[in-house]
Amino acid sequence: MLPRRELRETGADFLDGLLSGIERKTGWLMAEQSGAERPYRMQSLLGRSHWDADRLRDDVRDYGVEEALGDEDGVLIVDETG
């Protein structure tokens, strides 16, 4: 999906930022959350990188079903209670 290690790391940092508890999901704040001094790598990931959204969706779904839940018939319920 993302061929270079740096892009995969930045992508993981970006997802961590989206899932984090920071109130505003700006490039600067998510970069700080990941330990970066500036948001340039995340901005580059979003603005210049190319990926297949359908493949990414399928990969995330497969991970959730097969690895996280461990059962294809499993159910994941997400709510606000944490």
Side-chain angles (χ1 to χ4, degrees):
M1 197 166 7
L2 294 172
R4 294 182 27 226
R5 179 183 55 84
E6 296 86 4
L7 289 175
R8 289 190 301 272
E9 290 173 357
T10 303
D13 290 342
F14 180 76
L15 289 175
D16 287 344
L18 288 177
L19 297 172
S20 73
I22 58 176
E23 185 174 327
R24 296 184 61 224
K25 310 295 193 218
T26 68
W28 280 100
L29 293 176
M30 291 195 316
E32 288 176 1
Q33 174 83 10
S34 72
E37 293 181 19
R38 294 182 169 82
Y40 303 133
R41 289 181 71 183
M42 285 193 193
Q43 290 171 341
S44 179
L45 173 75
L46 295 174
R48 296 187 190 121
S49 297
H50 300 282
W51 61 78
D52 182 344
D54 292 332
R55 182 175 171 202
L56 177 61
R57 179 205 58 223
D58 293 344
D59 286 350
V60 170
R61 182 195 173 282
D62 290 345
Y63 168 78
V65 170
E66 296 170 9
E67 294 182 35
L69 294 177
D71 185 349
E72 197 167 307
D73 294 326
V75 176
L76 176 65
I77 300 173
V78 178
D79 65 15
E80 299 173 357
T81 62

Coordinates of all heavy atoms in Angstrom, one line a residue:
M1 N 0.8 -1.2 0.0 CA 0.0 0.0 0.0 C 0.9 1.2 0.0 O 0.8 2.0 -0.9 CB -0.9 0.0 1.2 CG -2.0 0.9 1.1 SD -3.3 0.5 2.3 CE -2.7 -0.7 3.4
L2 N 1.6 1.5 1.0 CA 2.6 2.5 1.1 C 4.0 1.9 1.0 O 4.4 1.2 1.9 CB 2.5 3.4 2.4 CG 1.2 4.1 2.5 CD1 1.1 4.8 3.9 CD2 1.0 5.2 1.4
P3 N 4.7 2.1 -0.1 CA 5.9 1.3 -0.4 C 7.1 1.6 0.5 O 7.9 0.7 0.8 CB 6.2 1.6 -1.9 CG 5.5 2.9 -2.1 CD 4.3 2.9 -1.2
R4 N 7.2 2.8 0.9 CA 8.4 3.2 1.7 C 8.2 3.2 3.1 O 7.1 3.5 3.6 CB 8.9 4.6 1.2 CG 9.3 4.7 -0.2 CD 9.8 6.0 -0.7 NE 10.4 6.9 0.4 CZ 10.1 8.2 0.5 NH1 9.2 8.7 -0.3 NH2 10.6 8.9 1.5
R5 N 9.2 2.8 3.9 CA 9.1 2.7 5.3 C 8.7 4.0 6.0 O 7.8 4.1 6.9 CB 10.4 2.2 5.9 CG 10.4 2.1 7.5 CD 11.7 1.7 8.0 NE 12.8 2.5 7.6 CZ 13.1 3.7 8.2 NH1 12.4 4.1 9.2 NH2 14.1 4.4 7.8
E6 N 9.2 5.1 5.5 CA 8.9 6.4 6.1 C 7.5 6.8 5.9 O 6.8 7.4 6.8 CB 9.8 7.5 5.4 CG 11.3 7.4 5.7 CD 12.0 6.4 4.7 OE1 11.3 6.0 3.7 OE2 13.2 6.2 4.8
L7 N 6.9 6.4 4.7 CA 5.5 6.7 4.5 C 4.6 5.9 5.4 O 3.6 6.3 5.9 CB 5.1 6.4 3.0 CG 5.7 7.4 2.0 CD1 5.4 6.9 0.6 CD2 5.1 8.8 2.2
R8 N 5.0 4.6 5.6 CA 4.2 3.7 6.5 C 4.2 4.3 7.9 O 3.2 4.3 8.6 CB 4.7 2.3 6.4 CG 4.4 1.6 5.1 CD 4.7 0.1 5.2 NE 6.1 -0.2 5.4 CZ 7.0 -0.3 4.5 NH1 6.7 -0.1 3.2 NH2 8.3 -0.6 4.9
E9 N 5.4 4.7 8.4 CA 5.5 5.3 9.7 C 4.7 6.5 9.9 O 4.0 6.7 10.9 CB 7.0 5.6 10.0 CG 7.8 4.3 10.2 CD 9.3 4.6 10.4 OE1 9.7 5.8 10.3 OE2 10.1 3.7 10.6
T10 N 4.8 7.4 8.9 CA 4.0 8.6 8.9 C 2.5 8.3 8.9 O 1.7 8.9 9.6 CB 4.4 9.6 7.8 OG1 5.8 9.9 7.8 CG2 3.6 10.9 7.8
G11 N 2.1 7.3 8.0 CA 0.7 6.9 8.0 C 0.2 6.4 9.3 O -0.9 6.7 9.8
A12 N 1.1 5.6 10.0 CA 0.7 5.1 11.3 C 0.6 6.2 12.3 O -0.3 6.3 13.1 CB 1.7 4.1 11.8
D13 N 1.5 7.2 12.3 CA 1.4 8.4 13.1 C 0.2 9.2 12.9 O -0.5 9.7 13.8 CB 2.7 9.3 13.0 CG 3.9 8.7 13.5 OD1 3.8 7.7 14.3 OD2 5.0 9.1 13.1
F14 N -0.2 9.3 11.6 CA -1.4 10.0 11.2 C -2.6 9.4 11.8 O -3.5 10.0 12.4 CB -1.5 10.2 9.7 CG -2.7 10.9 9.3 CD1 -2.8 12.3 9.4 CD2 -3.8 10.2 8.7 CE1 -3.9 13.0 8.9 CE2 -4.9 10.9 8.3 CZ -5.0 12.3 8.4
L15 N -2.7 8.0 11.6 CA -3.9 7.3 12.2 C -3.9 7.4 13.7 O -5.0 7.5 14.3 CB -3.8 5.8 11.7 CG -4.2 5.6 10.3 CD1 -4.0 4.1 9.9 CD2 -5.5 6.1 9.9
D16 N -2.7 7.3 14.3 CA -2.7 7.5 15.8 C -3.2 8.8 16.2 O -3.9 9.0 17.2 CB -1.3 7.3 16.3 CG -0.8 5.8 16.3 OD1 -1.7 4.9 16.2 OD2 0.4 5.6 16.4
G17 N -2.9 9.9 15.4 CA -3.4 11.2 15.7 C -4.9 11.3 15.6 O -5.5 11.9 16.4
L18 N -5.4 10.7 14.5 CA -6.8 10.7 14.3 C -7.6 10.0 15.4 O -8.7 10.4 15.8 CB -7.2 10.0 13.0 CG -6.9 10.8 11.7 CD1 -7.2 10.0 10.5 CD2 -7.6 12.1 11.7
L19 N -7.0 8.9 16.0 CA -7.6 8.2 17.0 C -7.3 8.7 18.4 O -7.9 8.2 19.4 CB -7.2 6.7 16.9 CG -7.6 6.0 15.6 CD1 -7.0 4.6 15.5 CD2 -9.2 5.9 15.5
S20 N -6.4 9.7 18.5 CA -6.0 10.2 19.8 C -7.1 11.0 20.4 O -8.1 11.4 19.8 CB -4.7 11.0 19.7 OG -5.0 12.2 19.1
G21 N -6.9 11.5 21.6 CA -7.8 12.3 22.3 C -7.6 13.8 22.1 O -8.3 14.6 22.7
I22 N -6.7 14.2 21.2 CA -6.6 15.6 21.0 C -7.8 16.2 20.4 O -8.5 15.6 19.6 CB -5.3 15.9 20.1 CG1 -5.4 15.3 18.8 CG2 -4.1 15.6 20.8 CD1 -4.2 15.7 17.8
E23 N -8.2 17.4 20.9 CA -9.5 17.9 20.5 C -9.6 18.3 19.0 O -10.5 18.0 18.4 CB -9.8 19.2 21.4 CG -11.1 19.8 21.2 CD -11.4 20.9 22.1 OE1 -11.0 20.8 23.3 OE2 -12.2 21.8 21.7
R24 N -8.5 19.0 18.6 CA -8.5 19.4 17.1 C -7.5 18.6 16.4 O -6.4 18.5 16.8 CB -8.2 20.9 17.1 CG -9.3 21.8 17.7 CD -9.0 23.2 17.6 NE -9.0 23.6 16.2 CZ -8.2 24.5 15.6 NH1 -7.2 25.0 16.4 NH2 -8.2 24.8 14.4
K25 N -7.9 18.1 15.3 CA -7.0 17.2 14.5 C -6.3 18.0 13.4 O -6.5 17.8 12.2 CB -7.8 16.1 13.9 CG -8.7 15.3 14.8 CD -7.9 14.6 15.9 CE -8.9 13.6 16.6 NZ -8.7 13.5 17.9
T26 N -5.5 19.0 13.7 CA -4.7 19.7 12.7 C -3.4 19.0 12.5 O -2.9 18.2 13.3 CB -4.5 21.1 13.2 OG1 -3.6 21.1 14.3 CG2 -5.8 21.9 13.6
G27 N -2.8 19.4 11.3 CA -1.5 18.8 11.0 C -0.5 19.1 12.1 O 0.3 18.2 12.5
W28 N -0.4 20.3 12.6 CA 0.5 20.7 13.6 C 0.3 19.9 14.9 O 1.2 19.3 15.5 CB 0.4 22.2 13.9 CG 1.2 23.0 13.0 CD1 0.6 23.7 11.9 CD2 2.6 23.2 12.9 NE1 1.6 24.4 11.2 CE2 2.8 24.1 11.8 CE3 3.7 22.8 13.7 CZ2 4.1 24.5 11.5 CZ3 4.9 23.2 13.3 CH2 5.1 24.1 12.2
L29 N -0.9 19.8 15.4 CA -1.2 19.1 16.6 C -1.0 17.6 16.5 O -0.4 17.0 17.4 CB -2.7 19.4 17.1 CG -2.9 20.8 17.5 CD1 -4.4 21.0 17.8 CD2 -2.1 21.2 18.6
M30 N -1.3 17.0 15.4 CA -1.1 15.6 15.2 C 0.4 15.3 15.1 O 0.9 14.3 15.5 CB -1.9 15.0 14.0 CG -3.4 15.0 14.4 SD -4.4 14.0 13.3 CE -3.9 14.4 11.7
A31 N 1.2 16.2 14.4 CA 2.6 16.0 14.3 C 3.2 16.1 15.7 O 4.1 15.3 16.1 CB 3.2 17.1 13.4
E32 N 2.8 17.1 16.5 CA 3.3 17.2 17.9 C 2.9 15.9 18.7 O 3.7 15.4 19.5 CB 2.7 18.4 18.6 CG 3.3 19.7 18.1 CD 2.6 20.9 18.7 OE1 1.7 20.8 19.6 OE2 3.0 22.0 18.4
Q33 N 1.7 15.4 18.5 CA 1.3 14.2 19.2 C 2.3 13.0 18.9 O 2.6 12.2 19.7 CB -0.1 13.8 18.7 CG -0.7 12.5 19.2 CD -1.2 12.6 20.6 OE1 -1.4 13.7 21.2 NE2 -1.5 11.5 21.2
S34 N 2.8 13.0 17.6 CA 3.6 11.9 17.2 C 5.1 12.1 17.6 O 6.0 11.3 17.3 CB 3.5 11.6 15.7 OG 4.1 12.7 15.0
G35 N 5.4 13.3 18.1 CA 6.8 13.6 18.5 C 7.5 14.4 17.4 O 8.7 14.7 17.6
A36 N 6.9 14.8 16.3 CA 7.6 15.5 15.3 C 7.5 17.0 15.6 O 6.6 17.5 16.3 CB 6.9 15.3 13.9
E37 N 8.5 17.7 15.2 CA 8.6 19.2 15.4 C 7.7 20.0 14.5 O 7.2 21.1 14.8 CB 10.0 19.7 15.3 CG 10.9 19.1 16.4 CD 12.3 19.7 16.3 OE1 12.5 20.7 15.7 OE2 13.2 19.1 16.9
R38 N 7.5 19.4 13.3 CA 6.7 20.1 12.2 C 5.8 19.1 11.5 O 6.1 18.0 11.5 CB 7.7 20.8 11.2 CG 8.5 21.9 11.8 CD 9.4 22.5 10.8 NE 10.0 23.7 11.3 CZ 11.1 23.8 12.0 NH1 11.7 22.6 12.4 NH2 11.6 24.9 12.4
P39 N 4.8 19.7 10.9 CA 3.8 18.8 10.3 C 4.1 18.4 8.8 O 3.3 17.8 8.2 CB 2.5 19.6 10.3 CG 3.0 21.0 10.1 CD 4.3 21.0 10.9
Y40 N 5.3 18.7 8.3 CA 5.6 18.5 6.9 C 5.4 17.1 6.4 O 4.9 16.9 5.3 CB 6.9 19.1 6.5 CG 7.1 20.5 6.9 CD1 8.2 21.0 7.6 CD2 6.1 21.5 6.7 CE1 8.3 22.3 8.0 CE2 6.2 22.8 7.0 CZ 7.3 23.2 7.7 OH 7.5 24.5 8.1
R41 N 5.8 16.1 7.2 CA 5.7 14.7 6.7 C 4.2 14.3 6.6 O 3.9 13.7 5.6 CB 6.5 13.8 7.6 CG 8.0 13.9 7.5 CD 8.7 13.0 8.4 NE 8.6 11.6 7.9 CZ 9.0 10.6 8.5 NH1 9.7 10.7 9.6 NH2 8.9 9.4 8.0
M42 N 3.4 14.7 7.5 CA 2.0 14.4 7.4 C 1.3 15.1 6.3 O 0.5 14.6 5.6 CB 1.3 14.7 8.8 CG 1.6 13.7 9.8 SD 0.5 13.8 11.2 CE 1.4 12.8 12.4
Q43 N 1.7 16.4 6.1 CA 1.1 17.1 5.0 C 1.5 16.5 3.7 O 0.7 16.4 2.7 CB 1.6 18.6 5.1 CG 0.9 19.3 6.2 CD 1.5 20.7 6.4 OE1 2.6 21.0 6.0 NE2 0.8 21.6 7.2
S44 N 2.8 16.1 3.6 CA 3.3 15.4 2.3 C 2.5 14.1 2.1 O 2.1 13.8 1.0 CB 4.8 15.2 2.4 OG 5.2 14.6 1.3
L45 N 2.3 13.4 3.2 CA 1.6 12.1 3.0 C 0.2 12.4 2.5 O -0.3 11.7 1.5 CB 1.4 11.4 4.4 CG 0.6 10.2 4.4 CD1 1.3 9.0 3.8 CD2 0.2 9.9 5.9
L46 N -0.5 13.4 3.0 CA -1.9 13.6 2.5 C -1.9 14.3 1.1 O -2.8 14.0 0.4 CB -2.6 14.5 3.5 CG -2.8 13.8 4.9 CD1 -3.4 14.8 5.9 CD2 -3.7 12.6 4.8
G47 N -0.9 15.2 0.9 CA -1.0 15.9 -0.3 C -0.3 15.3 -1.5 O -0.7 15.6 -2.7
R48 N 0.7 14.5 -1.3 CA 1.5 14.0 -2.5 C 1.5 12.5 -2.6 O 1.8 12.0 -3.7 CB 2.9 14.4 -2.3 CG 3.1 15.9 -2.3 CD 4.5 16.3 -2.3 NE 4.6 17.7 -2.1 CZ 5.3 18.3 -1.1 NH1 5.9 17.6 -0.2 NH2 5.3 19.6 -1.0
S49 N 1.1 11.8 -1.6 CA 1.2 10.3 -1.7 C -0.1 9.8 -2.4 O -1.1 10.4 -2.4 CB 1.3 9.7 -0.3 OG 2.5 10.0 0.3
H50 N 0.1 8.7 -3.1 CA -1.1 8.0 -3.8 C -1.3 6.7 -3.2 O -0.4 5.9 -3.0 CB -0.7 7.9 -5.3 CG -0.5 9.2 -5.9 ND1 -1.5 10.1 -6.2 CD2 0.7 9.8 -6.2 CE1 -1.0 11.2 -6.8 NE2 0.4 11.1 -6.8
W51 N -2.5 6.4 -2.9 CA -2.9 5.0 -2.4 C -4.3 4.7 -2.9 O -5.1 5.6 -3.3 CB -2.8 4.9 -0.9 CG -3.7 5.8 -0.1 CD1 -5.0 5.7 0.1 CD2 -3.3 7.1 0.5 NE1 -5.5 6.8 0.8 CE2 -4.4 7.6 1.1 CE3 -2.1 7.7 0.6 CZ2 -4.4 8.8 1.8 CZ3 -2.1 8.9 1.3 CH2 -3.2 9.4 1.9
D52 N -4.6 3.5 -2.9 CA -5.9 3.0 -3.3 C -6.8 2.9 -2.1 O -6.7 2.1 -1.2 CB -5.7 1.6 -3.9 CG -7.0 1.0 -4.5 OD1 -8.1 1.5 -4.1 OD2 -6.9 0.0 -5.2
A53 N -7.8 3.8 -2.0 CA -8.7 3.9 -0.9 C -9.5 2.6 -0.7 O -9.7 2.2 0.5 CB -9.7 5.1 -1.1
D54 N -9.9 2.0 -1.7 CA -10.6 0.7 -1.6 C -9.7 -0.4 -1.0 O -10.2 -1.2 -0.1 CB -11.2 0.2 -2.9 CG -12.3 1.1 -3.4 OD1 -13.0 1.8 -2.6 OD2 -12.5 1.2 -4.7
R55 N -8.5 -0.4 -1.4 CA -7.6 -1.4 -0.9 C -7.3 -1.2 0.6 O -7.2 -2.1 1.4 CB -6.3 -1.4 -1.7 CG -5.3 -2.5 -1.2 CD -4.1 -2.6 -2.0 NE -3.1 -3.4 -1.4 CZ -1.8 -3.4 -1.6 NH1 -1.4 -2.6 -2.6 NH2 -1.0 -4.2 -1.0
L56 N -7.1 0.1 0.9 CA -6.9 0.5 2.3 C -8.0 0.1 3.2 O -7.9 -0.5 4.2 CB -6.6 2.0 2.4 CG -6.4 2.5 3.8 CD1 -5.2 1.9 4.5 CD2 -6.3 4.0 3.8
R57 N -9.3 0.4 2.7 CA -10.5 0.0 3.5 C -10.5 -1.5 3.7 O -10.8 -2.0 4.8 CB -11.7 0.4 2.7 CG -13.0 0.0 3.4 CD -14.2 -0.1 2.4 NE -13.9 -1.1 1.4 CZ -14.2 -0.9 0.1 NH1 -14.7 0.2 -0.3 NH2 -13.9 -1.8 -0.8
D58 N -10.2 -2.3 2.6 CA -10.2 -3.7 2.7 C -9.2 -4.3 3.6 O -9.4 -5.2 4.4 CB -10.1 -4.4 1.3 CG -11.3 -4.1 0.4 OD1 -12.3 -3.7 0.9 OD2 -11.1 -4.3 -0.8
D59 N -8.0 -3.7 3.6 CA -6.9 -4.1 4.5 C -7.3 -3.8 6.0 O -7.0 -4.7 6.8 CB -5.6 -3.4 4.2 CG -4.9 -3.9 2.9 OD1 -5.4 -5.0 2.4 OD2 -4.0 -3.3 2.4
V60 N -7.8 -2.7 6.2 CA -8.2 -2.3 7.6 C -9.3 -3.3 8.1 O -9.3 -3.8 9.2 CB -8.6 -0.8 7.7 CG1 -9.2 -0.5 9.1 CG2 -7.4 0.0 7.5
R61 N -10.3 -3.5 7.2 CA -11.4 -4.4 7.6 C -10.8 -5.8 7.8 O -11.2 -6.5 8.8 CB -12.4 -4.5 6.4 CG -13.6 -5.4 6.8 CD -14.4 -5.8 5.6 NE -15.4 -6.8 5.9 CZ -15.2 -8.1 6.1 NH1 -14.0 -8.6 5.9 NH2 -16.1 -8.9 6.4
D62 N -10.0 -6.3 7.0 CA -9.4 -7.6 7.2 C -8.6 -7.7 8.5 O -8.7 -8.7 9.2 CB -8.4 -8.0 6.0 CG -9.2 -8.3 4.7 OD1 -10.4 -8.5 4.8 OD2 -8.6 -8.3 3.7
Y63 N -7.9 -6.7 8.8 CA -7.1 -6.6 10.1 C -8.1 -6.7 11.2 O -8.0 -7.5 12.2 CB -6.3 -5.4 10.2 CG -5.8 -5.2 11.6 CD1 -4.7 -5.9 12.0 CD2 -6.4 -4.3 12.5 CE1 -4.2 -5.8 13.3 CE2 -5.9 -4.2 13.8 CZ -4.8 -4.9 14.2 OH -4.4 -4.8 15.5
G64 N -9.2 -5.9 11.2 CA -10.1 -5.9 12.3 C -10.8 -7.2 12.4 O -11.0 -7.7 13.6
V65 N -11.2 -7.8 11.4 CA -12.0 -9.1 11.4 C -11.1 -10.2 11.8 O -11.4 -11.0 12.7 CB -12.7 -9.3 10.1 CG1 -13.3 -10.7 10.1 CG2 -13.8 -8.3 9.9
E66 N -10.0 -10.4 11.1 CA -9.1 -11.6 11.3 C -8.2 -11.5 12.5 O -8.0 -12.5 13.2 CB -8.4 -11.8 10.0 CG -9.3 -12.1 8.8 CD -8.5 -12.2 7.5 OE1 -7.3 -12.1 7.5 OE2 -9.2 -12.2 6.4
E67 N -7.6 -10.3 12.6 CA -6.5 -10.2 13.7 C -7.1 -9.7 15.0 O -6.8 -10.2 16.1 CB -5.4 -9.4 13.2 CG -4.7 -10.1 12.0 CD -3.5 -9.3 11.5 OE1 -2.8 -8.6 12.4 OE2 -3.2 -9.3 10.3
A68 N -7.8 -8.6 15.0 CA -8.3 -8.0 16.2 C -9.5 -8.8 16.8 O -9.4 -9.1 18.0 CB -8.7 -6.6 16.0
L69 N -10.5 -9.1 16.0 CA -11.6 -9.9 16.6 C -11.3 -11.4 16.6 O -11.8 -12.1 17.5 CB -12.9 -9.6 15.7 CG -13.4 -8.2 15.8 CD1 -14.6 -8.1 14.8 CD2 -13.8 -7.8 17.2
G70 N -10.6 -11.9 15.6 CA -10.3 -13.3 15.6 C -11.4 -14.2 15.1 O -11.2 -15.4 15.1
D71 N -12.5 -13.6 14.7 CA -13.6 -14.4 14.2 C -14.4 -13.6 13.2 O -14.8 -12.5 13.4 CB -14.5 -14.7 15.4 CG -15.7 -15.7 15.0 OD1 -15.9 -15.9 13.8 OD2 -16.3 -16.1 16.0
E72 N -14.6 -14.3 12.0 CA -15.2 -13.6 10.9 C -16.7 -13.2 11.3 O -17.2 -12.3 10.7 CB -15.2 -14.5 9.7 CG -15.5 -13.7 8.4 CD -15.2 -14.5 7.2 OE1 -14.1 -15.0 7.0 OE2 -16.1 -14.6 6.3
D73 N -17.3 -13.9 12.2 CA -18.6 -13.6 12.6 C -18.6 -12.7 13.8 O -19.7 -12.4 14.4 CB -19.4 -14.9 12.9 CG -19.6 -15.7 11.7 OD1 -19.8 -15.1 10.6 OD2 -19.6 -17.0 11.8
G74 N -17.5 -12.2 14.3 CA -17.4 -11.3 15.4 C -18.0 -10.0 15.2 O -18.2 -9.6 14.0
V75 N -18.4 -9.3 16.2 CA -19.1 -8.0 16.2 C -18.3 -7.0 17.0 O -17.9 -7.3 18.1 CB -20.5 -8.1 16.7 CG1 -21.2 -6.7 16.7 CG2 -21.3 -9.1 15.9
L76 N -18.0 -5.9 16.4 CA -17.3 -4.8 17.1 C -18.3 -3.7 17.3 O -19.0 -3.2 16.3 CB -16.1 -4.3 16.2 CG -15.4 -3.1 16.8 CD1 -14.7 -3.5 18.1 CD2 -14.4 -2.6 15.8
I77 N -18.5 -3.3 18.5 CA -19.4 -2.2 18.9 C -18.6 -1.0 19.4 O -17.8 -1.2 20.3 CB -20.4 -2.6 19.9 CG1 -21.2 -3.8 19.4 CG2 -21.3 -1.5 20.3 CD1 -22.1 -4.4 20.4
V78 N -18.7 0.1 18.7 CA -18.0 1.3 19.1 C -19.0 2.3 19.7 O -20.0 2.6 19.1 CB -17.3 1.9 17.9 CG1 -16.5 3.2 18.3 CG2 -16.3 0.9 17.3
D79 N -18.7 2.8 20.9 CA -19.5 3.8 21.5 C -18.7 4.8 22.2 O -17.4 4.8 22.2 CB -20.6 3.2 22.4 CG -20.0 2.5 23.6 OD1 -18.8 2.8 23.9 OD2 -20.7 1.8 24.3
E80 N -19.3 5.8 22.8 CA -18.6 6.9 23.4 C -18.1 6.7 24.9 O -17.4 7.5 25.5 CB -19.5 8.2 23.4 CG -19.8 8.6 22.0 CD -20.9 9.7 22.1 OE1 -21.3 10.1 23.1 OE2 -21.2 10.2 21.0
T81 N -18.4 5.5 25.4 CA -18.1 5.3 26.8 C -16.6 5.0 27.1 O -16.1 5.1 28.2 CB -18.9 4.1 27.4 OG1 -18.5 2.9 26.7 CG2 -20.4 4.4 27.3
G82 N -15.9 4.7 26.0 CA -14.4 4.4 26.1 C -14.2 3.1 26.7 O -13.1 2.6 27.0

